[in-house]
Amino acid sequence: MRRPASGAARRRRADVLARRRQQQARSARERILTTADRLFYGNGIQAIGVQRLIEESQVTRVTFYRHFPSKDDLVLAYLEQRKWQARAAVQAIIDSHPGDPRGALHAWAVAFTEDGMIDEYRGCTFVNAAAEYGPPDHPVRTMAVEQRRWVNATAQTLLREAGHRDPVAATRVLMALRTGYVYSLGLEEDTGWAEQFLAAFDRVIDER
């Protein structure tokens, strides 16, 4: 298992990768989205204005609004893209462990500890976004809740298939462990987090 790099190194690498994706974007819409992904995740959604998005995407204002009539439309497109990227990554892990739900759960946890799965280490995209939008019925918060429910439902199915005695309670604990681990890596440089996280994750999985 590769140890996560230092916080400063992770942030530098994340910025390089994000800028590289932006440079490789072909269409104006893709360029706007990759720019938004880098700026929204790295700085917070509310901190980034439309003018900066236009300038760094290298598009005209007319082009920007043709693709995204409002900033909220762009925010939702950014989250939608991240949603499907995350789901595809998890599904690939499950598919690589046919008939082995316990192995899939462990591999899912290991993926969180490896550089490349979580390059940015600024916490959960959806929790961060939801924190910036107060109304509980705002589409951003609705999408964040939907994604967390999908993660929980997927974990609960795997736990049930693995024969866990209380998959509902275990699912909540696993979610708390993932969330805590990701945010801890963004704030602390202490070694040992990965090993402790995996050990705790496995204890929850193996409860019978």
Side-chain angles (χ1 to χ4, degrees):
M1 181 181 68
R2 295 170 293 173
R3 292 181 180 275
S6 70
R10 290 194 299 268
R11 287 189 290 273
R12 286 195 298 271
R13 182 176 57 247
D15 187 64
V16 168
L17 291 173
R19 290 181 182 277
R20 186 178 300 161
R21 286 193 295 268
Q22 183 178 338
Q23 292 168 356
Q24 293 171 344
R26 296 179 180 179
S27 68
R29 186 181 190 280
E30 185 182 356
R31 200 157 62 247
I32 295 167
L33 261 176
T34 55
T35 302
D37 188 280
R38 173 173 61 84
L39 294 177
F40 287 163
Y41 188 82
N43 301 274
I45 295 170
Q46 304 294 358
I48 303 300
V50 169
Q51 187 56 40
R52 183 174 177 185
L53 289 163
I54 289 171
E55 290 173 357
E56 297 209 21
S57 301
Q58 299 180 332
V59 297
T60 65
R61 183 169 289 270
V62 171
T63 297
F64 179 91
Y65 283 111
R66 183 169 66 247
H67 291 289
F68 302 100
S70 72
K71 181 182 171 183
D72 274 1
D73 290 316
L74 176 57
V75 172
L76 291 171
Y78 149 69
L79 292 176
E80 185 77 11
Q81 180 171 268
R82 286 225 167 195
K83 177 182 79 174
W84 290 114
Q85 288 171 347
R87 293 188 183 192
V90 171
Q91 191 59 52
I93 291 171
I94 295 172
D95 291 345
S96 68
H97 292 78
D100 183 14
R102 198 274 179 203
L105 284 162
H106 178 76
W108 191 356
V110 169
F112 272 82
T113 71
E114 295 183 335
D115 290 333
M117 175 69 172
I118 304 176
D119 286 313
E120 298 115 324
Y121 288 90
R122 286 199 71 250
C124 172
T125 299
F126 299 91
V127 173
N128 290 350
E132 296 195 59
Y133 291 83
D137 59 345
H138 192 284
V140 168
R141 290 185 67 90
T142 299
M143 185 177 291
V145 170
E146 174 196 332
Q147 181 68 356
R148 300 275 285 190
R149 285 176 176 167
W150 179 86
V151 170
N152 281 339
T154 303
Q156 191 176 136
T157 296
L158 292 171
L159 286 164
R160 185 173 290 108
E161 291 173 352
H164 197 283
R165 62 185 177 83
D166 191 349
V168 175
T171 291
R172 292 175 177 172
V173 175
L174 294 182
M175 175 61 84
L177 286 172
R178 289 191 200 95
T179 303
Y181 176 68
V182 172
Y183 280 102
S184 294
L185 285 181
L187 295 171
E188 303 177 50
E189 298 297 337
D190 185 31
T191 59
W193 272 111
E195 291 82 357
Q196 292 159 5
F197 164 70
L198 287 175
F201 207 93
D202 284 345
R203 282 197 298 271
V204 175
I205 295 172
D206 291 332
E207 279 185 322
R208 290 290 184 272

